[in-house]
Amino acid sequence: MPLMPKRVKYRKVQRGSRGGLAQKGNQLAYGEYGLQSLERGWITAIQIEACRVAANRAMKRKGKLWIRIFPDKPITKKPLEVRMGKGKGGVDQWVAVVKPGTMLFELDGVPETLAKECLRLAATKLPLRVRFVQRHAHD
């Protein structure tokens, strides 16, 4: 079962504004290493799950992975070959809205080389450009 909210106030939402940079959630908060987005876009619940699986496989039960984004936006889609009109389609998937600078994943408890490899594998599952970041000694 992919990530999605337990309950929502409204079943369907509009596309919304995607401008600007991430003001919060743009710093390392939990781990030593992180994956930070460089572009804006939507990341689906299935893509987040694919990243989690890829990173955890590479870690081989060592270290800890934090997922810093949550898909709380419902995206609707009308069925194929349906005529125009008759209202908005049903909820098709859930996405997380990501702005440039958003911290997507964090890792700790593994060496830097392994952390880089884990997050590189996770990054291949994402539709955005991302960068590897790490906490500095003086932070």
Side-chain angles (χ1 to χ4, degrees):
M1 177 114 179
L3 284 173
M4 62 190 284
K6 290 188 181 78
R7 292 171 42 234
V8 287
K9 190 167 183 180
Y10 299 109
R11 225 161 33 97
K12 299 173 182 177
V13 301
Q14 295 182 337
R15 286 179 186 273
S17 154
R18 306 176 336 146
L21 304 175
Q23 298 297 316
K24 52 188 181 184
N26 56 5
Q27 303 287 326
L28 285 170
Y30 303 100
E32 195 68 25
Y33 310 103
L35 204 58
Q36 189 178 38
S37 74
L38 296 173
E39 296 178 322
R40 72 186 73 249
W42 289 343
I43 298 182
T44 69
I46 291 155
Q47 288 165 341
I48 295 170
E49 178 63 12
C51 292
R52 185 190 69 79
V53 168
N56 277 333
R57 284 229 175 103
M59 285 199 295
K60 297 200 175 76
R61 302 209 311 274
K62 294 178 182 66
K64 180 159 172 55
L65 178 74
W66 288 270
I67 302 172
R68 294 284 306 276
I69 51 175
F70 185 80
D72 54 2
K73 182 184 184 74
I75 301 301
T76 61
K77 190 172 190 298
K78 288 175 83 84
L80 287 174
E81 299 181 12
V82 169
R83 290 183 176 185
M84 292 279 102
K86 303 274 188 286
K88 189 168 165 143
V91 173
D92 177 53
Q93 61 185 354
W94 292 86
V95 301
V97 177
V98 170
K99 294 180 172 184
T102 305
M103 201 60 66
L104 306 174
F105 299 96
E106 292 189 29
L107 261 180
D108 208 347
V110 291
E112 185 187 341
T113 50
L114 181 57
K116 267 194 172 148
E117 180 59 16
C118 292
L119 293 176
R120 185 191 66 79
L121 290 168
T124 61
K125 312 290 182 194
L126 291 171
L128 315 169
R129 286 187 307 119
V130 292
R131 71 174 181 183
F132 176 82
V133 291
Q134 73 184 79
R135 204 181 290 273
H136 299 297
H138 57 78
D139 280 0

